[in-house]
Amino acid sequence: MATRSTIMDTNSFRAEHAGQLDSDTRRLTDQRSRVLGESYRLFYRKPVHLVKGRGQYLWDAAGDKYLDVYNNVASIGHCHPAVVEAVTAQMQQLNTHTRYLHQRILDYSEDLLATLPAALDRAMYMCTGSEANDLAIRVAKAYSGGTGIIVTQEAYHGTSELTSGVSPALGSGQPLAATTRLVPPPDRYRVTDPDLGAWFAGQIQQQIDDMAAHGITFAGFLADSIFSSDGVLPGPAGFLQPVIDVVHKNGGIYIADEVQPGFGRTGEAFWGFARHGIVPDIVTTGKPMGNGIPVSAMLAKSEVLAAFSDTIPYFNTFGGNPVAMAAAQAVLQVIKDEQLQQHSLAVGQQLLRELQGLAAKYECVGDVRGAGLFIGFELVSDRAAKTPDKALALDVTERLREQRVLTSVAGPYGNVLKLRPPLAFQASDIDWLVSALDTSLATLSR
């Protein structure tokens, strides 16, 4: 029997919850099941019917206001006026594919590449993070001549054939590729080795050796730079240097999946990987770069990309279209103008301190960790044994929803609250979140 997907099934509405719904919500869930099929998932035992968003806030059909502490796709805030204006203006002029010349894609590429280490000097565009990671894997295989990809045990990198094959978080119902190998995540909370980077590099070397023993040539290591699906694991800054070293020593390439930690979210650097002082061979991004407009990118070293691009033409019909580029350019400008990286660092540190105060108050809080506005809040039933408490995490998530605070869970045990609000989240919002958490824990903790 297939295990449930940690990212899809853990905090989700299921048929047994239907009896608790009001008539309007029940009608919508029934219609959704009828027309969309059974693969889709809704958040919460009582799904939320959202109709409006602005900044860090959302409103439901009844007019109730929610604090969004989860949606990173609307990275600079829901319905940001700069993005709405840019997209509207460009849509009124032209929207077509990249087989024609257009200045927008060139200007944006220059600006985006300027945020990266100089060695990353080529940009290619798609519509989703899945497509970006899919292409990155293809490039890795072309460059290395191998097929073996290493990811962490609870990684999620997309839904295409290639990316689902390296996404164990999708559950055992979605088989991994035969050439995929898994390593335990760099969880500072549970790994006792004092040198986390050396330990993690050693885990990767073991899997590279296992590949070789089975006749598989190592192609690369693919990692979300904050290990979000593994439970939000920022680790100490710099710990990934031994990892990229071991990858290169074995002829592979390092792919930094920046869909979630990129664009200033971690506060400490513009890119998640940059916290660690490394230069990946490939960087991938997703819809947060366009504040939700379907746009993504693969950014690569020219010498790495050449193994693919010198022999294989690539075309993504609407990847990098003028409207998507207008949205992406607006996001980049807003991050700069509103100093959102610095904002993320300052507000994130303040939020982290407040959450650590809850950890001092409640024995069920095992660990609080994060970088910028990306925080993992881990719940346990036994603090000394660090026993994950998934049931409590799910109940807390539901109680937060009742207090109109939206978030979800992550990690292999489903016991880590993933606190990842739009960057519009303000210091003045901290009390709403922390008070709601405090109330929930006081009611539910054992």
Side-chain angles (χ1 to χ4, degrees), residues 137-189:
I137 293 170
R138 293 175 66 189
V139 173
K141 291 178 176 181
Y143 178 78
S144 67
T147 57
I149 300 292
I150 296 175
V151 295
T152 51
Q153 286 176 344
E154 210 60 33
Y156 170 69
H157 296 294
T159 57
S160 70
E161 178 72 16
L162 275 180
T163 57
S164 61
V166 295
S167 295
L170 292 173
S172 61
Q174 168 60 60
L176 296 176
T179 52
T180 298
R181 293 292 184 274
L182 306 182
V183 290
D187 185 350
R188 179 71 288 170
Y189 179 53

Side-chain angles (χ1 to χ4, degrees), residues 1 66 99 175 191 204 257 351 364 389 441:
M1 181 178 177
Y66 293 76
R99 297 290 292 274
V191 173
I204 292 170
D257 181 341
L351 175 58
C364 62
D389 198 335
L441 292 171

